[in-house]
Amino acid sequence: MLSIKAIREEKEKIVKKLAIKNFKAEELLTEIIELDSLRRKVQFEKDENQAKLKDISKEIGKLFATGDKTKADELKNETASIKENIKKLEEEFSRLDESIQSKIVNIPNVPHESVPPGKGEDDN
């Protein structure tokens, strides 16, 4: 099975090699790359939210230590919405990842350079 990294970095090479097997991969690989791009954006946003949550949690601890319970409670409410957003992003990430994997398994192995073009096993 091809890795997503190989698909991103060597798309044209893979398309040409799969053409030897009469497999039209251009559209499928483009779709996989687009889904991967979305997945990477979702992962980045999730990571940013987790970092923000960590910073706010530290701030809440400092505010409780100084006795500013009102401000700490406000930040606690903000963390609840951030946690909900992180949960949604995780669900979106999983959905995108499953979609990518279901498409990758439909791509045949890339033939060796020595394999001649043909329509089937007898030709190659």
Side-chain angles (χ1 to χ4, degrees), residues 60 63-64 68-79:
I60 290 171
L63 289 170
F64 273 123
D68 192 354
K69 187 174 175 1
T70 307
K71 180 72 174 165
D73 287 339
E74 288 175 17
L75 289 177
K76 275 181 150 183
N77 291 334
E78 186 177 340
T79 61

Side-chain angles (χ1 to χ4, degrees), residues 93-105:
F93 181 87
S94 293
R95 185 189 66 75
L96 289 167
D97 192 51
E98 287 174 17
S99 182
I100 290 168
Q101 294 307 316
S102 71
K103 291 181 186 316
I104 286 178
V105 298

Side-chain angles (χ1 to χ4, degrees), residues 5-109:
K5 181 179 178 187
I7 292 170
R8 266 195 321 266
E9 294 175 357
E10 302 176 6
K11 177 186 169 196
E12 295 307 316
K13 182 179 175 184
I14 294 169
V15 168
K16 286 178 185 175
K17 285 188 173 188
L18 288 176
I20 292 172
K21 289 181 149 184
N22 277 339
F23 185 85
K24 296 182 187 340
E26 179 79 32
E27 188 177 314
L28 183 58
L29 295 181
T30 300
E31 190 176 341
I32 289 169
I33 290 169
E34 288 171 359
L35 287 170
D36 181 57
S37 178
L38 286 173
R39 181 181 66 171
R40 292 162 66 103
K41 286 178 186 177
V42 168
Q43 179 67 47
F44 180 77
E45 190 176 338
K46 185 181 122 201
D47 291 346
E48 282 186 328
N49 276 280
Q50 287 175 326
K52 185 176 180 181
L53 184 64
K54 183 178 176 182
D55 292 341
I56 291 173
S57 295
K58 286 180 184 179
E59 184 66 27
I60 290 171
K62 290 177 186 176
L63 289 170
F64 273 123
T66 61
D68 192 354
K69 187 174 175 1
T70 307
K71 180 72 174 165
D73 287 339
E74 288 175 17
L75 289 177
K76 275 181 150 183
N77 291 334
E78 186 177 340
T79 61
S81 67
I82 293 172
K83 287 178 183 178
E84 183 63 33
N85 192 33
I86 290 171
K87 183 179 177 186
K88 288 177 185 175
L89 290 169
E90 286 173 344
E91 290 169 358
E92 179 69 7
F93 181 87
S94 293
R95 185 189 66 75
L96 289 167
D97 192 51
E98 287 174 17
S99 182
I100 290 168
Q101 294 307 316
S102 71
K103 291 181 186 316
I104 286 178
V105 298
N106 292 319
I107 301 171
N109 289 331

